[in-house]
């Protein structure tokens, strides 16, 4: 084996060794790791870590729901003749929302009206016959049996009149099913049919809700339920508003969901009229207090997957890896909780 070959093998071995050392982190400075929690005094660009007492809370998801809402369905089979509203329209109680074809129903109403008129005529005739027969019987010109016969005819005619009245009322009610009206004032949230569609009994036609009755319905775990009471005000975060608002607890359902072991809590929000059913929100429930260490978010640096701060020690300024917790607003800037890597008394330096 010549000298050139030996040098190539040695160079390859050296390169392979350097790769292994690099993969093992041999060329990266070792960063000390310590554990603790803080926020404290600030002097210039140095912050001395001190434990700060903060309110501890838990967040629960919820969505906006209207207490008064309705899904209107058809009660007869008929073609949709006219749809007068669309999603987003504001309606008043009693406004006509859509109409179904009702020619056959109207014809049935007219038939029942005529039947009622005929029944009324028969009743009038039967009553006159009864009065005449009653006079003749009192004069002894007709037997008592004849009076019983005309009385039965009169009663039968009056019963037929009542049946005709009920039939007419039923026909008019069926005709009324062809006109769909708003049961209360609100906003149309969905229109499910169009002109020309065929509606069948139970088929969904339109939905509406009252925006004045919107509530945030949140599922609160039973461990936090004991901390709530009717009338409590809690902070609520709505994604659509990108800000926190206040919510007042107005209802707590006294039965838990057996699967999630949570209770439905409803809150009225102090928000502008820009909310709709189904919008997502989070309600924060205070559950006590705890102590922590906090650092301004701007003082925290990140390199890859590691987060660290600069600490002033007796040996000089050193970089220390930390583990972050929740973010809080303090002094009009975001502060981050340090759950590991610092302890009370450390001096964090802004670099």
């Amino acid at each position: 084996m010549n000298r050139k070959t030996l040098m190539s093998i040695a160079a390859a071995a050296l390169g392979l060794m350097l790769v292994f050392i690099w993969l093992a982190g041999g060329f990266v400075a070792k960063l000390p790791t310590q554990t603790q929690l803080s926020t404290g005094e600030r002097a210039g660009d140095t912050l001395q870590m001190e434990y700060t007492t903060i309110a501890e809370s838990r967040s629960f998801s919820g969505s906006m729901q209207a207490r008064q809402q309705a899904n209107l369905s058809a009660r007869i089979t008929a073609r949709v003749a006219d749809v007068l509203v669309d999603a987003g329209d504001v309606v008043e109680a009693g406004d006509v929302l859509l109409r179904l074809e009702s020619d056959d129903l109207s014809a049935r109403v007219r038939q029942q009206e005529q039947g009622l008129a005929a029944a009324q005529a028969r009743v009038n005739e039967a009553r006159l016959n009864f009065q005449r027969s009653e006079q003749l019987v009192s004069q002894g010109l007709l037997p008592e049996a004849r009076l019983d016969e005309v009385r039965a005819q009169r009663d039968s005619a009056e019963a037929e009149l009542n049946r005709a009245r009920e039939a007419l009322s039923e026909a008019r009610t069926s005709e009324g099913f062809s006109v769909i009206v708003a049961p209360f004032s609100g906003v149309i949230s969905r229109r499910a049919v169009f002109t020309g569609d065929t509606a069948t009994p139970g088929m969904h036609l339109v939905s509406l809700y009252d925006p004045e009755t919107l509530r945030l319905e949140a599922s609160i775990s039973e461990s936090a339920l004991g901390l709530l009471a009717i009338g409590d005000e809690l902070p609520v975060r709505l994604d659509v508003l990108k800000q926190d608002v206040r919510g007042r607890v107005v209802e707590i359902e006294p039965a838990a969901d057996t699967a999630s072991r949570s209770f439905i809590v409803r809150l009225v929000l102090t928000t502008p009229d820009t909310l709709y059913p189904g919008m997502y929100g989070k309600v924060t429930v205070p559950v006590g207090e705890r102590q922590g260490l906090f650092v301004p978010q701007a003082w925290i640096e990140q390199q890859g997957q590691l987060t660290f701060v600069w600490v002033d020690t007796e040996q000089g300024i050193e970089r220390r890896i930390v583990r972050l917790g929740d973010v809080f607003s303090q002094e009009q800037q975001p502060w981050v909780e340090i759950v590991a890597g610092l302890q009370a008394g450390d001096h964090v330096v802004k670099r």
Side-chain angles (χ1 to χ4, degrees):
M1 185 179 296
N2 58 33
R3 182 177 179 183
K4 185 176 181 181
T5 302
L6 291 175
M7 292 182 63
S8 299
I9 294 174
L14 179 60
L16 186 60
M17 184 180 299
L18 292 175
V19 170
F20 281 131
I21 293 174
W22 176 75
L23 292 175
F27 298 109
V28 179
K30 301 297 182 182
L31 300 179
T33 303
Q34 301 179 6
T35 308
Q36 267 324 8
L37 317 167
S38 131
T39 289
E41 292 179 8
R42 185 172 177 183
D45 292 331
T46 301
L47 180 67
Q48 180 178 348
M49 293 293 96
E50 294 180 1
Y51 282 106
T52 300
T53 300
I54 61 170
E56 191 171 14
S57 61
R58 295 177 60 186
S59 295
F60 300 94
S61 299
S63 60
M64 299 300 300
Q65 298 293 337
R67 187 178 183 85
Q68 189 172 30
Q69 55 186 333
N71 296 318
L72 305 183
S73 303
R75 300 185 64 177
I76 58 174
T77 299
R79 191 179 72 88
V80 178
D82 194 12
V83 181
L84 304 177
V85 294
D86 206 344
D89 289 348
V90 178
V91 297
E92 299 294 331
D95 286 353
V96 177
L97 307 182
L98 57 87
R99 292 188 177 90
L100 305 178
E101 284 189 346
S102 60
D103 294 344
D104 55 338
L105 299 176
S106 299
R108 183 184 173 192
V109 169
R110 291 191 294 271
Q111 291 173 0
Q112 296 299 334
E113 289 175 343
Q114 294 170 1
L116 178 62
Q120 184 66 61
R122 288 192 293 269
V123 166
N124 294 337
E125 181 182 5
R127 288 173 178 172
L128 289 174
N129 288 337
F130 177 77
Q131 292 174 358
R132 285 193 296 264
S133 298
E134 189 176 31
Q135 291 176 358
L136 293 174
V137 169
S138 64
Q139 297 172 4
L141 302 177
L142 287 178
E144 288 286 344
R146 177 58 181 170
L147 183 61
D148 294 338
E149 181 181 349
V150 294
R151 180 185 290 112
Q153 292 175 353
R154 183 201 62 182
D155 293 344
S156 177
E158 289 179 347
E160 184 65 22
L161 177 63
N162 291 333
R163 190 201 65 79
R165 286 172 177 166
E166 295 297 329
L168 177 59
S169 176
E170 179 183 3
R172 286 174 174 171
T173 300
S174 297
E175 184 184 33
F177 292 156
S178 65
V179 180
I180 309 301
V181 300
F184 52 84
S185 301
V187 178
I188 302 298
S189 58
R190 184 187 177 195
R191 182 186 71 171
V193 294
F194 297 86
T195 302
D197 292 347
T198 299
T200 56
M203 179 179 176
H204 178 218
L205 302 177
V206 292
S207 299
L208 73 157
Y209 71 95
D210 183 359
E212 298 295 328
T213 65
L214 279 174
R215 306 284 190 270
L216 178 72
E217 293 189 2
S219 298
I220 307 296
S221 65
E222 58 183 347
S223 60
L225 187 68
L227 304 172
L228 295 179
I230 301 296
D232 287 350
E233 289 195 359
L234 304 174
V236 176
R237 181 74 177 185
L238 294 173
D239 288 351
V240 66
L241 299 180
K242 302 186 185 304
Q243 65 179 5
D244 290 336
V245 296
R246 304 295 295 179
R248 179 170 53 86
V249 178
V250 295
E251 184 179 349
I252 301 176
E253 289 192 356
D257 180 76
T258 55
S260 62
R261 310 306 306 171
S262 60
F263 294 77
I264 297 297
V265 176
R266 296 182 175 88
L267 302 95
V268 176
L269 306 185
T270 56
T271 59
D273 300 332
T274 55
L275 301 181
Y276 303 100
M279 285 184 169
Y280 176 78
K282 279 189 176 182
V283 56
T284 301
V285 179
V287 295
E289 294 182 343
R290 63 182 173 87
Q291 289 188 326
L293 301 174
F294 297 88
V295 171
Q297 192 174 43
W299 291 30
I300 298 173
E301 299 184 19
Q302 185 169 358
Q303 183 175 5
Q305 299 298 320
L306 301 178
T307 54
F308 58 89
V309 296
W310 297 95
V311 180
D312 187 3
T313 66
E314 294 181 356
Q315 291 76 27
I317 305 297
E318 67 177 25
R319 185 169 61 175
R320 186 174 299 174
I321 295 177
V322 294
R323 184 156 54 92
L324 306 181
D326 296 330
V327 179
F328 296 87
S329 178
Q330 183 171 304
E331 299 179 4
Q332 297 184 345
Q333 64 173 319
W335 289 62
V336 182
E337 182 181 9
I338 306 298
V339 298
L342 292 177
Q343 61 182 4
D346 286 344
H347 292 79
V348 178
V349 179
K350 181 180 180 181
R351 293 291 294 267

